[in-house]
Amino acid sequence: MVRLSDTATGNDETAALPGDGLREGIVDGLRSDLGDRLLDTHLLPQKDLWVRVQPDAWALTAAALKTQGFEYFCFLSVLDWLPSPFGKGEDDPEAEPTEPNTEIKQGYAGGASRFQVFARVTDIKRHVGVTVKADVPESMSVPSWLPHYAGANWHEREAHEMFGIGFEGHPDLRNLYLPGEFEGFPLRKDFPLLSRMVKPWPGIVDVEPMPVVDEGEGDAS
Amino acid sequence: MTMLNERQQLSYIAAQAADARLNVELETEGMTLNIGPQHPATHGTLRIIARLDGEQVVWAEPVAGYMHRGYEKLTEVRSFPQVTTLINRIDWLGSFANEVPFILAAEQLMEIEAPPRAQYIRTILFELSRIANVSLFLGDLGVQMGAITPVFMAFRDREYVLNLIEGATGGRFHPNFDRIGGLKDDLPKGWIAETKQVMKKLRQFCDEIEDLLFGNEIFQSRTRGVGIIPADVAKSYGLSGANLRASGVDWDLRRDQSLPMAWDQADFKVWTHPDGDSWARCWIRLQETREATKIVDQLIDNIPAGPVMAKVPRIIKVPEGEAWVSTENPLGEMGYYVVSKGDLGPFRVKIRSASFNNISITPWVLKGVYVPDIITILASLYFILGDIDR
Amino acid sequence: MGLVDRGRMPAPLTKLFNMGRSYSMWVYQWGLACCAIEMGAAFGSPRYDVMRLGVIPLPASPRQADLVVVSGTVTDKMAPAVKRLYEQMPEPKYVISMGSCANCGGPYWDSYSVTKGVDQIIPVDVYVPGCPPRPEALLEGIVLLQQRIKNEDMAAKWRNEEFTTLQKTAALQQAEARPAPEPIVVGGGPIE
């Protein structure tokens, strides 16, 4: 059977999935461009690749990736590694409050700060994507990716609004979503959801007695 | 496929030149035009502020956020099964397709895979939600240019697809049918035969729309050569789906990445168009609807027997790790970056929705167009407000 | 309309007027989220065909509408626009709140940016529950509203609005003594 999808590309690239060699090549290319400013990598063979760079090399990484062929900009956002001090608001409201966990533990490719910016770019020809991470320094700002990827514009505005991270070189970090009078950075872990504080989550804590079910109709679950 | 012939191209260029001369001769004062937040031309609550010079847009900026519901924060206080209820409502026209990448990401972290039967049914429902989504786009397209009829036809034929989705999942709109490890239920009796009938009807609908709309002279002159996006700009803005393929980039995640889904079992063509204008974007979507009906037809005869649910623990705890999974949704690439810390719920979910990137290009593409073209360009970029604002 | 101006309406005339009003309702579609598509299916699709109920879903602006259907999530950023729209509508005016989000916040009950129900901003006559409600549910909501309009004391509604100062005080006292009407809930009891 002649598959139409093969004739479109000319070769069957899905069958021969790009392997480790491809992703290791990407890391080598980045290392030659960035030197020791490439801090850490995490590679899941045949699946995905994470790299972590120094914050001052954040924009340089974008340029290096773009010359490697990563032309497609996927997304840019921020990770807040502080565990939420409020929990989920699903605990028994009468129970003793537990000590909140404040241990900051970063994910793949390590890290040293509470906030990390991360972005993903894709190489459309080689069918491979990379997730890039960088720690956010004390100054709470990193260089903007706007000169390299035009799509970073709105993503950086969103990150600024939600986490309060600045992007040096971005012309216009206006609020994208929230009305002007809104205070705080909602996606930070220490931003409380007030509705949950006022009213306990009804799914786990039964605030009302369950209705009586007739025998023989099975239990309510 | 019809192309502009040489005479049409020349007359188009001549008309553009005449307009430019007119603008030089008649000095016009600038004005600012506000469209929205609730305006029929903006498909929802997107607001556009445009600075005009005469009839030409000097600068335009969309104002989003009228539908911002804070998904990324809410996922942090929900458990994994609860999140699927929520994310159904991001792109509300193709709800089932929203669930799939999130469930796949969770499954990837838990290192389980849905049984083959579940993968097939997932793919079929995914394509059905694509049809339900894009058929409304095809109908709505006419409304933007003053043709009312196509939207009635779209609503008429879309009901058949919604009935199918309701028959299988119980929900017309928000199925919440996907579970980590498989599906909630198997297909009901008689569903397969009905689906085949409906797919025939939908192909007829595509033909009707092509006859009515795509061959129409007004439609062509409103969309041909309008809102051209070159391939490199499209990639750098992160445009995805039909918008990217209309710029000549051959990139479809259904074909180009390996996921535990059944797309590799079907034979379909990924359409591209070299023009990158509004017409190309509309035309690609029409072809994709046709291809989706073909995918459903091919898969539905070969659904393997077996269970629809893998063995998963009763209380779902996802191990620590990070995963990124994206799929080719009706609007484009939709992906979830899931960070888990081994709890009942995710630690952080970054939702990469297609319309957010697709609409961020509007300040670039609206520069220099005429006021009526704003509406056709926005319609052809095709966005859903929930998908922009999340 | 001299009789109406003085606050008195003969019962047969009221009946006639009410019948006219209930079967020529111009509906402004304030579609916000998922429910907007179901509203579109109810108003725009041949299967549900709302016009047979005497409802005209195509006014060009809220200034021409008798009824507004708020369907979908109302966010804090959108709330001022919803209020302004309501103020632009001419009296007598009615509001249908469609879907869980517009009723009470729905699945976004704990969100930081969602208004917990459109009734915090504008008065609501009919609540249609569901996420999203089926088009049939919206049609039932419209039918229930039409029944209410048919039994409405039209003069009372007008007294509240159109009077000169002297008569206005008297009318207001009268209006305060009148208990506020209970909202209708499709398919069941009251909403807490």
Side-chain angles (χ1 to χ4, degrees):
Chain A
M1 182 177 70
V2 180
R3 289 168 60 97
L4 282 168
S5 44
D6 296 344
T7 53
T9 47
N11 54 349
D12 196 357
E13 279 162 303
T14 38
L17 192 78
D20 294 342
L22 175 65
R23 290 190 170 82
E24 277 161 14
I26 294 161
V27 174
D28 291 341
L30 273 178
R31 192 162 278 135
S32 69
D33 281 338
L34 300 171
D36 52 359
R37 282 180 287 185
L38 178 72
L39 292 173
D40 204 351
T41 60
H42 182 93
L43 194 139
L44 289 180
Q46 305 284 355
K47 270 187 184 162
D48 220 339
L49 173 66
W50 284 262
V51 295
R52 186 164 67 90
V53 298
Q54 273 187 6
D56 53 342
W58 178 242
L60 199 64
T61 316
L65 284 169
K66 199 161 187 182
T67 47
Q68 274 205 32
F70 289 87
E71 289 179 322
Y72 174 80
F73 174 79
C74 192
F75 71 84
L76 182 149
S77 189
V78 179
L79 289 161
D80 180 358
W81 289 108
L82 181 82
S84 169
F86 307 107
K88 296 194 172 184
E90 289 177 350
D91 313 318
D92 189 353
E94 284 158 19
E96 285 284 308
T98 48
E99 191 66 24
N101 178 12
T102 53
E103 184 203 10
I104 292 176
K105 193 178 165 216
Q106 285 83 3
Y108 292 166
S113 64
R114 178 182 157 192
F115 291 103
Q116 278 186 328
V117 282
F118 74 122
R120 192 178 170 85
V121 287
T122 307
D123 186 338
I124 284 178
K125 290 209 178 71
R126 289 187 286 172
H127 300 177
V128 63
V130 179
T131 308
V132 196
K133 288 184 178 177
D135 295 341
V136 175
E138 292 282 304
S139 62
M140 291 298 272
S141 75
V142 290
S144 170
W145 268 28
L146 201 49
H148 309 291
Y149 292 103
N153 186 345
W154 278 28
H155 288 263
E156 288 179 357
R157 274 172 71 181
E158 187 194 7
H160 174 73
E161 183 180 5
M162 293 292 160
F163 290 95
I165 308 282
F167 290 90
E168 294 150 24
H170 192 288
D172 186 17
L173 283 172
R174 267 178 304 133
N175 270 10
L176 189 63
Y177 290 138
L178 298 166
E181 63 267 24
F182 194 88
E183 280 178 19
F185 302 108
L187 274 185
R188 284 192 182 183
K189 289 280 181 184
D190 48 11
F191 182 91
L193 285 172
L194 289 174
S195 306
R196 295 188 88 88
M197 315 246 142
V198 177
K199 196 177 178 189
W201 170 247
I204 300 231
V205 184
D206 284 330
V207 285
E208 287 166 24
M210 293 298 286
V212 183
V213 185
D214 289 340
E215 289 295 319
E217 283 191 13
D219 56 346
S221 66
Chain B
M1 193 185 77
T2 46
M3 293 287 284
L4 280 179
N5 62 33
E6 203 178 337
R7 191 183 55 78
Q8 281 171 320
Q9 273 176 2
L10 284 175
S11 70
Y12 179 74
I13 293 166
Q16 295 272 311
D19 285 347
R21 265 202 308 282
L22 203 66
N23 282 355
V24 173
E25 282 163 15
L26 306 172
E27 259 187 41
T28 48
E29 221 173 276
M31 72 170 274
T32 307
L33 178 70
N34 175 55
I35 308 173
Q38 168 78 354
H39 191 268
T42 61
H43 297 243
T45 51
L46 186 75
R47 180 176 164 205
I48 305 259
I49 300 171
R51 183 95 192 137
L52 305 179
D53 177 19
E55 278 279 293
Q56 231 165 359
V57 177
V58 181
W59 163 101
E61 171 85 38
V63 182
Y66 287 98
M67 203 33 62
H68 179 62
R69 292 158 290 181
Y71 276 107
E72 289 180 18
K73 186 76 179 175
L74 294 185
T75 53
E76 290 171 11
V77 290
R78 302 273 197 277
S79 66
F80 275 93
Q82 285 168 348
V83 170
T84 52
T85 319
L86 213 56
I87 58 179
N88 261 314
R89 289 153 177 81
I90 294 177
D91 156 19
W92 47 67
L93 287 177
S95 301
F96 185 81
N98 295 336
E99 300 173 15
V100 173
F102 179 79
I103 293 288
L104 290 179
E107 283 176 359
Q108 197 172 317
L109 284 171
M110 291 178 76
E111 290 176 352
I112 51 174
E113 201 166 278
R117 187 175 175 85
Q119 292 179 15
Y120 267 73
I121 299 174
R122 264 183 197 171
T123 315
I124 290 167
L125 287 172
F126 196 105
E127 292 303 319
L128 283 180
S129 58
R130 181 188 312 279
I131 297 167
N133 188 327
V134 181
S135 62
L136 196 60
F137 161 81
L138 293 170
D140 199 43
L141 206 56
V143 178
Q144 315 297 333
M145 287 155 222
I148 298 281
T149 320
V151 78
F152 293 119
M153 292 165 65
F155 269 120
R156 181 195 67 197
D157 289 337
R158 195 170 167 270
E159 285 292 332
Y160 298 118
V161 185
L162 291 183
N163 281 358
L164 284 183
I165 295 175
E166 188 181 9
T169 68
R172 249 168 82 87
F173 246 60
H174 301 310
N176 195 18
F177 193 58
D178 237 340
R179 299 286 185 270
I180 293 174
L183 293 167
K184 179 178 165 285
D185 250 327
D186 211 332
L187 293 176
K189 208 177 165 189
W191 194 82
I192 289 175
E194 201 188 329
T195 308
K196 283 184 187 162
Q197 287 293 320
V198 171
M199 289 304 111
K200 258 184 221 147
K201 265 187 198 134
L202 261 294
R203 273 195 289 277
Q204 250 169 31
F205 163 75
C206 288
D207 294 344
E208 278 174 348
I209 288 283
E210 186 160 29
D211 285 352
L212 269 178
L213 213 56
F214 283 71
N216 186 302
E217 210 170 302
I218 299 169
F219 180 80
Q220 295 220 358
S221 57
R222 287 290 298 276
T223 51
R224 286 247 170 183
V226 171
I228 297 172
I229 302 173
D232 54 334
V233 177
K235 280 188 276 190
S236 135
Y237 270 97
L239 255 61
S240 50
N243 295 335
L244 188 64
R245 286 190 284 277
S247 298
V249 183
D250 192 11
W251 172 245
D252 190 318
L253 289 165
R254 288 178 288 177
R255 184 197 60 196
D256 294 338
Q257 80 180 352
S258 104
L259 282 175
M261 297 282 279
W263 283 307
D264 50 353
Q265 305 299 320
D267 185 19
F268 62 99
K269 182 168 166 56
V270 176
W271 291 88
T272 58
H273 199 286
D275 285 3
D277 55 2
S278 297
W279 198 86
R281 290 189 281 273
C282 303
W283 183 81
I284 293 276
R285 289 212 173 82
L286 176 73
Q287 299 302 339
E288 276 183 9
T289 318
R290 285 191 176 136
E291 292 300 326
T293 60
K294 285 178 199 161
I295 294 175
V296 173
D297 269 351
Q298 289 172 38
L299 293 182
I300 207 151
D301 284 330
N302 303 319
I303 301 177
V308 291
M309 192 76 189
K311 279 212 159 47
V312 286
R314 196 159 173 274
I315 292 172
I316 287 171
K317 279 198 178 181
V318 175
E320 197 166 335
E322 297 172 36
W324 160 260
V325 173
S326 64
T327 50
E328 186 72 31
N329 273 39
L331 294 160
E333 181 185 10
M334 171 148 206
Y336 296 87
Y337 190 90
V338 181
V339 183
S340 176
K341 289 249 174 166
D343 281 333
L344 290 172
F347 181 76
R348 164 117 167 84
V349 179
K350 163 68 191 167
I351 302 168
R352 191 266 188 214
S353 56
S355 298
F356 186 74
N357 282 43
N358 288 353
I359 273 314
S360 72
I361 201 172
T362 42
W364 187 91
V365 72
L366 290 183
K367 203 171 274 180
V369 305
Y370 292 96
V371 175
D373 291 341
I374 296 178
I375 286 148
T376 51
I377 290 170
L378 279 179
S380 74
L381 279 172
Y382 191 34
F383 56 89
I384 283 170
L385 250 292
D387 207 37
I388 301 176
D389 293 344
R390 301 188 299 273
Chain C
M1 289 291 149
L3 281 175
V4 181
D5 284 346
R6 285 199 295 280
R8 286 203 296 276
M9 279 271 284
L13 198 59
T14 310
K15 278 241 148 102
L16 192 68
F17 272 10
N18 282 348
M19 198 189 282
R21 283 195 306 140
S22 62
Y23 290 130
S24 65
M25 272 203 287
W26 287 69
V27 182
Y28 189 67
Q29 309 179 26
W30 186 257
L32 292 166
C34 334
C35 297
I37 311 297
E38 288 294 61
M39 181 177 66
F43 288 166
S45 89
R47 183 179 289 194
Y48 300 104
D49 185 20
V50 79
M51 284 206 196
R52 74 201 145 102
L53 301 175
V55 170
I56 301 137
L58 303 162
S61 104
R63 291 172 205 277
Q64 300 167 353
D66 306 306
L67 166 66
V68 62
V69 180
V70 181
S71 56
T73 322
V74 183
T75 56
D76 290 348
K77 194 172 181 178
M78 183 52 97
V82 175
K83 177 128 180 84
R84 193 160 153 199
L85 153 112
Y86 181 74
E87 282 161 1
Q88 282 180 356
M89 286 169 62
E91 287 277 356
K93 53 192 171 190
Y94 303 92
V95 179
I96 291 182
S97 153
M98 181 186 182
S100 299
C101 296
N103 292 347
C104 63
Y108 318 107
W109 65 280
D110 49 353
S111 172
Y112 53 86
S113 60
V114 172
T115 309
K116 312 295 180 294
V118 72
D119 49 6
Q120 298 193 350
I121 320 164
I122 56 175
V124 174
D125 294 282
V126 180
Y127 294 94
V128 183
C131 191
R134 298 179 63 93
E136 292 96 326
L138 177 63
L139 297 192
E140 193 189 348
I142 290 174
V143 170
L144 288 173
L145 182 69
Q146 284 174 333
Q147 283 171 5
R148 160 174 286 195
I149 292 174
K150 273 186 219 158
N151 297 324
E152 193 176 23
D153 184 3
M154 198 170 150
K157 193 139 197 157
W158 288 16
R159 266 202 303 270
N160 285 343
E161 285 295 318
E162 312 254 296
F163 272 5
T164 50
T165 5
L166 257 179
Q167 290 154 315
K168 202 170 192 173
T169 37
L172 275 178
Q173 280 164 2
Q174 210 176 342
E176 271 168 16
R178 201 178 293 268
E182 284 285 308
I184 302 171
V185 177
V186 172
I191 288 179
E192 277 183 28

